[in-house]
Structure formats: structure tokens, C-alpha cells
Amino acid sequence: MTKTVLFWRHGQTDFNVAGRFQGQSDVPLNDTGRAQAEEAARLLAEFDPELIVSSDLSRAAATSDSLATLVGREPLRDERLRETAFGEWEGRTRSEVAEIWPNELAEWASGADVNPPGGESRSQSGHRVAAAISEIVRSTDAEPIAIVAHGAVLRAAAEILLEMNGTGRLGVLGNCGHGEFGFTGHSWVLRSWGAFSR
């Protein structure tokens, strides 16, 4: 049986609006983000997911709760689904980071697989989240499954699972955007990507 697996990015936060690196800082949804989560949840409720697993960071957890309430499920939290750790860049805008680490930021922005000071590289966080998603999906008979997490790691994990090597070929999901995958038991098929992005 092919399982349907939804990758769903959390709603908007004030850090998103300000263009700040959030990483693993626990930044909550803002009013717009809560409204986005409620609207997207109504759409995703049509899938009637039997299992909802989210990052334990509050912005993803609150987003998952909006769907769980509609479908009558108890969401699970999994810290392995957290966003990329951006280390010393967290809480700063790109211009602020550029003042202190111009070369490192330029290399990172070019798509190079580098670690921000004290943080994770794209491949490290992508492999972490891809492994977590694989384990979650393989360990249950539930179907469909909703995975609620963060933009950078959902893109990287998706590319790794699709054997694209996390090279930045997919766009980052917009706040409350989602992707739909089919998992055959051996391989992953991308059915849609970016739905509901705003």
C-alpha cells in the first residue's frame, strides 16, 4: 500500500516578517500565522490524517494542533523535526549576519553546504529530518500521515528522500504551505509541492 505523507510548514512568526534566522529558537506564531494555520488545517483535514507528528518547537506544534483539533487526533511531538540550528546567526537578520560573518553568509547564500558558527549545515539537518520522517512512516500502519515542521529542513529532507541530495532544487515552502508525497515502502513520489503557499 502506498502511504500518503504530507509535509506541512508552520504558519508565520514575527521572525519571518522581520527576516530573522529562527533556527531552533522557540518563536511562536503571530496572529497571521495562527489564521494561516486554521485556514490551511481546513484544507488538510480533507485528507483526514490518522497520524500527525510535529516538531516540538511551538510554531510547528501550534500549527499541528489546528489540524489535530479538526480531525480529532492527538498530535505527537518529535524534536528530531526541529529546524536547522543556525547557531550564532539565530535571531539576526541577514544584514546583521553580513556585518559579522560576510564571507560565511555569502558562501551559505550561494548554496554551499556550510555550517553557520555553532550551527548545522543543510545536509546535517536535512539528513536528521529525513531519517526521522522515514522512521516515523515505516513504524506505523497509519495513513495518511502529516509531518509538521520547518521550511529549510522540510525542503532538504524532501530532496534527500527523492534522491536529489538536498541540493536546493525545490523551493522553500511558504508559511503554511505543504507538499504531498506517496511512499511505496521503497521509494518516495512527489505529488505536489507548495500548495497553499502565501
Side-chain angles (χ1 to χ4, degrees):
M1 176 187 76
T2 299
K3 292 182 180 179
T4 295
V5 184
L6 304 171
F7 287 23
W8 187 24
R9 185 185 177 194
H10 63 78
Q12 185 187 88
T13 70
D14 287 344
F15 271 33
N16 290 142
V17 175
R20 297 187 182 280
F21 285 95
Q22 290 186 106
Q24 297 189 2
S25 300
D26 200 8
V27 183
L29 297 178
N30 61 21
D31 289 343
T32 298
R34 285 187 287 275
Q36 288 172 331
E38 290 175 10
E39 185 178 351
R42 287 192 289 273
L43 173 67
L44 295 179
E46 296 177 9
F47 287 92
D48 194 21
E50 293 184 354
L51 178 64
I52 302 170
V53 185
S54 79
S55 157
D56 63 342
L57 297 176
S58 63
R59 59 193 183 269
T63 300
S64 75
D65 289 349
S66 63
L67 176 59
T69 298
L70 288 179
V71 298
R73 307 280 183 212
E74 188 67 32
L76 303 179
R77 310 290 189 228
D78 192 325
E79 66 181 12
R80 298 175 297 170
L81 299 176
R82 287 182 178 186
E83 179 62 289
T84 302
F86 285 106
E88 295 182 52
W89 294 3
E90 290 191 17
R92 302 175 194 261
T93 63
R94 284 199 184 201
S95 61
E96 290 168 344
V97 169
E99 289 178 9
I100 305 169
W101 300 279
N103 296 333
E104 293 88 341
L105 179 64
E107 191 176 3
W108 179 85
S110 75
D113 191 35
V114 298
N115 298 59
E120 294 176 291
S121 70
R122 286 182 174 92
S123 63
Q124 287 171 332
S125 60
H127 282 284
R128 167 173 53 81
V129 173
I133 292 171
S134 292
E135 191 276 329
I136 290 165
V137 172
R138 291 176 186 275
S139 67
T140 181
D141 292 329
E143 194 277 330
I145 299 168
I147 303 292
V148 189
H150 309 270
V153 292
L154 285 176
R155 172 175 72 170
E159 292 180 344
I160 289 164
L161 293 171
L162 293 168
E163 300 179 359
M164 296 167 68
N165 300 318
T167 53
R169 293 184 182 178
L170 293 177
V172 173
L173 292 169
N175 287 123
C176 270
H178 75 272
E180 180 188 344
F181 293 79
F183 178 63
T184 67
H186 303 288
S187 61
W188 293 79
V189 176
L190 180 61
R191 296 174 179 162
S192 69
W193 184 256
F196 197 76
S197 296
R198 300 229 170 187

